[in-house]
């Protein structure tokens, strides 16, 4: 039923891959929100539709790591996203809440005849342990990498740039993108990056 509705809509309108965004608060969130759920669709090679509800933890406590393999400036950096590596398991708990919310949405869609059922995680997976294993096997990037060149004072050994984006210890070199945010914002990074560029333009120019 849902596929038919989408096909009819797509005949006369632009049909984006991402159609809706839901902001939610997990059971351990004490301010604002820490979850994004968004609907994604698209046609597969065989002409069938792919329908999914993506779940994202937008205030992660896990930390990735980027290292340089050599002094060659053309060498590709080594990136470890560090998914779910926070010691207290907070990110996994947030993702579990998000997956359970997505499953409730999918179940309602099924009951209303919009979809036939869920494929992954399987509807037979009901225990917390089963869902945690599935999350660990399916987790990936949300396409908003940031915070690899942290802004902070020179006394902070982990800081790369000062409050105006100038690289510590290097003259006339600045960084102006989402990499210098000390903490990733609970939002898409494009508009904050544009705001940052407008703010820093006068300093760099």
């Amino acid at each position: 039923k849902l596929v038919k509705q989408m096909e009819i809509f797509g005949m006369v309108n632009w049909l984006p891959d991402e159609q809706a965004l839901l902001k939610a608060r997990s059971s351990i969130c004490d301010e604002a929100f820490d979850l994004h759920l968004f609907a994604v669709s698209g046609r597969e090679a065989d002409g069938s539709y792919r329908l999914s509800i993506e779940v994202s933890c937008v205030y992660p406590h896990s930390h990735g790591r980027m290292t340089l393999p050599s002094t060659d400036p053309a060498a590709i950096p080594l990136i470890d996203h560090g998914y779910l590596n926070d010691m207290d398991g907070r990110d996994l708990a947030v993702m579990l809440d998000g997956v359970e919310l997505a499953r409730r949405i999918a179940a309602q869609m099924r009951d209303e005849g919009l979809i036939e059922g869920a494929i992954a995680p399987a509807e037979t997976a009901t225990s917390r342990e089963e869902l945690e294993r599935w999350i660990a096997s399916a987790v990936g990037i949300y396409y908003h990498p940031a915070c690899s060149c942290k802004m902070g004072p020179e006394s902070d050994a982990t800081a790369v740039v000062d409050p105006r984006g100038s690289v510590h210890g290097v003259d006339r070199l600045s960084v102006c993108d989402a990499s210098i945010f000390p903490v990733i914002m609970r939002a898409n990074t494009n508009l904050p990056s544009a705001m940052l560029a407008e703010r820093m333009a006068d300093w760099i120019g």
Side-chain angles (χ1 to χ4, degrees), residues 9-183:
F9 184 87
M11 292 174 63
V12 294
N13 299 279
W14 172 58
L15 189 62
D17 289 341
E18 297 182 17
Q19 284 114 20
L21 173 65
L22 182 151
K23 298 178 181 181
R25 181 181 296 179
S26 74
S27 59
I28 59 176
C29 182
D30 54 11
E31 62 174 321
F33 57 90
D34 57 356
L35 281 165
H36 276 179
L37 277 72
F38 57 99
V40 176
S41 67
R43 282 195 179 277
E44 302 289 1
D46 61 2
S48 63
Y49 266 102
R50 178 189 70 255
L51 307 170
S52 63
I53 301 174
E54 306 291 333
V55 177
S56 298
C57 170
V58 294
Y59 189 51
H61 285 64
S62 299
H63 290 85
R65 182 178 179 86
M66 182 174 67
T67 56
L68 300 177
S70 72
T71 57
D72 180 0
I76 299 174
L78 305 176
I79 299 175
D80 174 12
H81 292 288
Y83 301 127
L84 308 177
N85 70 1
D86 58 314
M87 296 300 293
D88 59 3
R90 183 184 181 93
D91 291 349
L92 180 58
V94 171
M95 290 297 292
L96 181 59
D97 283 354
V99 168
E100 290 177 340
L101 176 56
R103 297 183 92 189
R104 292 202 300 271
I105 294 171
Q108 184 173 347
M109 295 174 68
R110 180 200 60 212
D111 294 344
E112 294 179 358
L114 294 172
I115 62 175
E116 293 182 1
I119 298 175
E123 293 181 330
T124 54
T126 56
S127 72
R128 183 182 183 89
E129 291 74 18
E130 288 176 302
L131 292 177
E132 287 181 345
R133 285 195 297 270
W134 180 83
I135 291 170
S137 69
V139 68
I141 193 170
Y142 190 19
Y143 304 109
H144 300 148
C147 311
S148 59
C149 295
K150 176 184 173 182
M151 178 185 289
E154 195 166 7
S155 59
D156 181 352
T158 65
V160 177
V161 301
D162 68 15
R164 291 200 168 198
S166 298
V167 176
H168 291 306
V170 182
D171 293 334
R172 301 182 61 81
L173 177 63
S174 300
V175 179
C176 181
D177 58 31
S179 67
I180 70 174
F181 295 131
V183 178

